[in-house]
Amino acid sequence: MLQTWHVGIDDTDSQSGMCTTFLGTIIVDFLLKHSLEFLDFPKLIRLNPNIPYKTRGNGAVAITFMAYEEIIDSLWKGIVGLVKENADINDPHTDPGLILIKGEIPSAFQELYWEALYQVIPLNFVKQLLKKHTSEKHFYVKEGRGLIGAAAAIGAILSQDYTYEFIAYRNPEEKKSERLIDPISVINADKKTLLTFNNYDYEHKQVMISPHGPDPVFCGIRGETSSAVIRMWELIDILEPIQTTMVFRTNQHTQVHFPKKFLGHELKPYLSVKVRGIVAKKPYNYPGGHVIFTIKSGNVSIDCAAYEPTKRFRKIIRELIEGDEVLVFGGVRPASSKNPVTINIEEVQIIKLISIQEKVTPKCPICGASLTSAGRNQGLKCKKCSFTSPKKKYICQQKSRKLRTGVRYVIPVCAQRHLTKPVTRNLPLQFHLSPEIDFKYAFYDFLKKRTILNNHDINRRETYTYMKNKK
Ligand code: ATP
C-alpha cells in the first residue's frame, strides 16, 4: 500500500567535520534512486539554540515522501547504512539518532517540537514517546541523544511562518576555513534578490553566507522563497569545486524559540526565554567588552548581558536607565563561580521609558541661541549677540531618550542565532499561507535544475583548480 513516511535525523556531526544537513542531502539522493515521491523540500529544523551539547547551530533534518509499504524495509536498511557510513561516530560527542514514522505525524511529536524549541528535553522522555508509537522504526548507535532532535524535526510541520535555505556543499574532505566567494558579487546579488536576507553584514563588512568551520557547507543562502535563494546562488561568483546542492524549507529566522513569557523565578539554565522586567541596575561595562544590567521580574533580580560579539547593540543597551520597563529575549546561562544566572540577550523591546528631567540654560530672548554661563557668580551670556542676563536661571526640561517603544532592538547579523528574526523580515504571515504553494512541485522544480546549479561557475572553478595544482 502507498503510504506517507517521515524520516528524522540528528547528531551526526562533530567539531571536526560532517553536517546533519549534508547527511540529509545524501539520504535524499539515495531516495531519489527509488520509486517514491517527495511531498516537500527536506526540512532543516533548528531547536533550542542554548542546548549545551550542540555542535554548532542545533539543527536537525526531516524528510517526507510517499512510497509503497513493500519497499520501506529496504529503504530503511539503506538509510541506516548511510548514517553508519557517514556520521562522525568516532567523535565522543556525536550521538546519532534516526527515526522513521508512517502516516500522519502524531500530535505528541508536534508538541515535542514546540517544547524542544526552548527547553531541555530529557532523552528518556523521547524514548518513552517512541515506545508508545510502535509503528515507527528508530536507530541509534550510542545513547541515542540524536533521537530528541530527530523526533522534534519530524514534529515540525511549519504550517505558518517558515523560510528557505539553499546550501552548496564542498567535498567533505576539504577542511579549510576559507571559502572562495567574491564578496562584491554577494553585495550585488543581495541588492537584486529582495526576498533573501542576511547575505552580507554591511556594518561589519562581512559575507554572511559562508561558514568558517571544517564542515562540508560551502555556503548557505537564506530567503522567503525557494526561487529567491536559488536565484541568489546563480548570481554570486564562486571559485571552488562544489560537490552538490540542496534547498531546505526551515524554521530559521522565525523567532519561534520564544513561545511564552517567563517570570524571573522560572529561569532554568539553557532555556530560551522572554522575560518582562524593570531595569533595577543600569548598564555597566564588564571586562572583556561586555555590558551588563539587572532587571527585576516579580521579586527576582536577573542579570542580562550584551556580550562583546553583539558589537553596536551594546550602545543601545547602554541607553537603558533604572525604571525602564523592558522585554528581554535570550538564553539563560547557568551561574558560574564568578557570575549569577545571566540572560544572554538576543533582543530587547522597550515597554515603557521613564522620563528624566534635566537642567538646561534658557534660550537668548534676542537671537534664540543657547545662553551660556558668564563665569563664576555671574549671570548668563549669549555668545552670538552679546546679550547678558545678571541672573543664572536654569530651566528644567524632559531629557530626550534615544530609545523608542514598539521597536525591536536585535543583535547585529554577525551575532544572530539561526532562529533570530531579522528586523528586515517584515512580510505578513499570510505571505506563506497561500493555498497555491505546492511544496512538492517547487521541490521537483529545484531537482530539475540541480545539475546546472551544481555546475554553476564551473569554468572559473576549473581555472582555480588548475592554478592550485600548478602551485
Ligand atoms: P549541526 O547543526 O551542525 O548538525 P548541531 O549543532 O545540530 O550540529 P548536534 O550535534 O546535532 O548539534 O547536537 C545537538 C544535540 O542536542 C542532538 O543530540 C539533539 O538531539 C539534542 N537536542 C536538540 N534540541 C534539544 C532539546 N531541546 N533538548 C535536549 N536535547 C536537544
Side-chain angles (χ1 to χ4, degrees):
M1 211 168 91
L2 200 55
Q3 287 282 2
T4 305
W5 305 92
H6 309 272
V7 174
I9 179 162
D10 198 10
D11 211 331
T12 62
D13 59 358
S14 70
Q15 297 288 357
S16 53
M18 215 24 211
C19 171
T20 301
T21 69
F22 186 56
L23 186 44
T25 301
I26 293 174
I27 295 173
V28 168
D29 282 333
F30 163 76
L31 292 173
L32 275 169
K33 291 182 195 136
H34 294 82
S35 158
L36 52 82
E37 191 173 41
F38 287 94
L39 296 181
D40 197 342
F41 289 86
K43 281 181 251 162
L44 162 53
I45 302 301
R46 300 286 175 182
L47 300 165
N48 184 355
N50 302 300
I51 288 298
Y53 24 81
K54 67 177 182 174
T55 313
R56 280 177 285 268
N58 200 8
V61 167
I63 300 166
T64 302
F65 59 91
M66 269 182 108
Y68 283 100
E69 201 145 15
E70 292 70 20
I71 63 164
I72 206 67
D73 280 344
S74 105
L75 292 181
W76 174 248
K77 228 171 125 191
I79 297 172
V80 169
L82 290 172
V83 173
K84 283 186 187 161
E85 196 184 311
N86 292 284
D88 200 350
I89 294 168
N90 293 332
D91 185 286
H93 303 293
T94 304
D95 195 351
L98 174 69
I99 301 173
L100 174 82
I101 69 165
K102 177 167 87 175
E104 283 218 347
I105 298 167
S107 58
F109 279 64
Q110 298 183 41
E111 282 152 26
L112 172 73
Y113 164 61
W114 287 105
E115 305 280 303
L117 282 167
Y118 69 101
Q119 293 192 48
V120 182
I121 309 289
L123 177 54
N124 259 341
F125 177 83
V126 174
K127 286 194 171 165
Q128 289 302 322
L129 180 82
L130 294 176
K131 256 192 195 160
K132 275 192 215 151
H133 293 269
T134 46
S135 68
E136 54 56 57
K137 294 172 187 287
H138 62 268
F139 164 80
Y140 57 93
V141 187
K142 301 173 190 171
E143 297 298 310
R145 204 179 51 218
L147 293 171
I148 304 170
I154 290 176
I157 290 181
L158 305 186
S159 56
Q160 294 209 339
D161 196 12
Y162 54 85
T163 61
Y164 288 87
E165 179 161 1
F166 175 98
I167 305 185
Y169 298 95
R170 57 183 182 174
N171 181 339
E173 303 300 316
E174 181 66 88
K175 301 286 178 201
K176 71 181 168 59
S177 65
E178 193 195 13
R179 272 75 167 166
L180 295 180
I181 304 182
D182 174 7
I184 305 291
S185 76
V186 174
I187 296 171
N188 290 338
D190 178 55
K191 289 179 181 155
K192 283 185 192 148
T193 50
L194 297 180
L195 289 179
T196 62
F197 47 78
N198 286 16
N199 296 315
Y200 193 79
D201 185 339
Y202 289 90
E203 192 179 350
H204 304 102
K205 297 191 173 41
Q206 264 183 50
V207 170
M208 297 307 300
I209 58 173
S210 55
H212 303 284
D215 55 293
V217 175
F218 174 76
C219 76
I221 300 167
R222 291 152 190 225
E224 302 290 348
T225 64
S226 56
S227 48
V229 292
I230 293 170
R231 182 75 195 124
M232 171 94 190
W233 168 249
E234 289 169 332
L235 290 172
I236 61 172
D237 294 335
I238 57 160
L239 274 169
E240 276 184 66
I242 294 302
Q243 178 148 328
T244 188
T245 58
M246 185 49 67
V247 175
F248 294 88
R249 197 157 76 85
T250 97
N251 64 349
Q252 291 175 157
H253 308 295
T254 59
Q255 200 87 337
V256 271
H257 56 315
F258 301 117
K260 63 171 213 156
K261 266 190 213 143
F262 280 86
L263 288 171
H265 70 270
E266 295 170 315
L267 302 194
K268 293 196 201 98
Y270 312 118
L271 286 176
S272 292
V273 293
K274 171 162 79 177
V275 190
R276 188 172 174 151
I278 293 184
V279 177
K281 190 169 167 194
K282 70 174 191 187
Y284 61 93
N285 295 337
Y286 189 84
H290 317 305
V291 175
I292 315 278
F293 66 99
T294 309
I295 59 169
K296 204 142 196 207
S297 169
N299 288 329
V300 185
S301 294
I302 311 151
D303 273 9
C304 302
Y307 291 106
E308 190 281 330
T310 64
K311 309 287 176 200
R312 69 167 153 82
F313 180 74
R314 294 166 299 166
K315 253 188 177 174
I316 295 164
I317 293 301
R318 282 195 198 98
E319 293 294 325
L320 289 169
I321 53 177
E322 279 140 9
D324 287 341
E325 195 172 354
V326 288
L327 198 52
V328 176
F329 300 69
V332 182
R333 282 177 74 131
S336 66
S337 56
K338 280 191 196 152
N339 299 306
V341 164
T342 302
I343 300 178
N344 175 6
I345 314 171
E346 284 178 49
E347 173 174 339
V348 165
Q349 290 176 18
I350 315 290
I351 295 167
K352 213 160 115 198
L353 286 171
I354 62 152
S355 61
I356 7 173
Q357 301 288 317
E358 61 180 349
K359 266 182 167 179
V360 290
T361 54
K363 298 274 180 223
C364 170
I366 311 291
C367 71
S370 290
L371 296 176
T372 53
S373 169
R376 210 163 167 226
N377 296 329
Q378 294 175 55
L380 298 168
K381 66 172 185 194
C382 177
K383 278 187 182 161
K384 204 171 164 196
C385 71
S386 307
F387 167 82
T388 57
S389 158
K391 284 189 191 155
K392 203 173 243 173
K393 258 199 198 157
Y394 291 97
I395 52 170
C396 266
Q397 69 173 33
Q398 196 171 316
K399 189 174 177 196
S400 85
R401 302 283 310 270
K402 288 188 181 142
L403 301 172
R404 295 280 168 269
T405 53
V407 175
R408 292 180 59 217
Y409 293 104
V410 180
I411 56 175
V413 177
C414 60
Q416 281 172 19
R417 312 290 195 126
H418 295 284
L419 284 162
T420 308
K421 187 171 180 171
V423 273
T424 49
R425 240 201 115 221
N426 279 327
L427 287 172
L429 264 192
Q430 296 88 299
F431 180 80
H432 282 139
L433 292 178
S434 158
E436 284 153 32
I437 291 178
D438 181 344
F439 303 124
K440 183 171 83 180
Y441 173 78
F443 183 53
Y444 278 98
D445 216 28
F446 156 70
L447 290 177
K448 267 191 240 152
K449 288 188 217 155
R450 197 175 175 213
T451 314
I452 298 172
L453 296 169
N454 289 355
N455 289 328
H456 165 53
D457 261 359
I458 189 111
N459 296 335
R460 300 191 62 198
R461 285 191 257 140
E462 274 169 2
T463 316
Y464 165 76
T465 314
Y466 171 74
M467 297 297 282
K468 201 174 151 194
N469 293 340
K470 236 178 129 187
K471 266 184 203 169

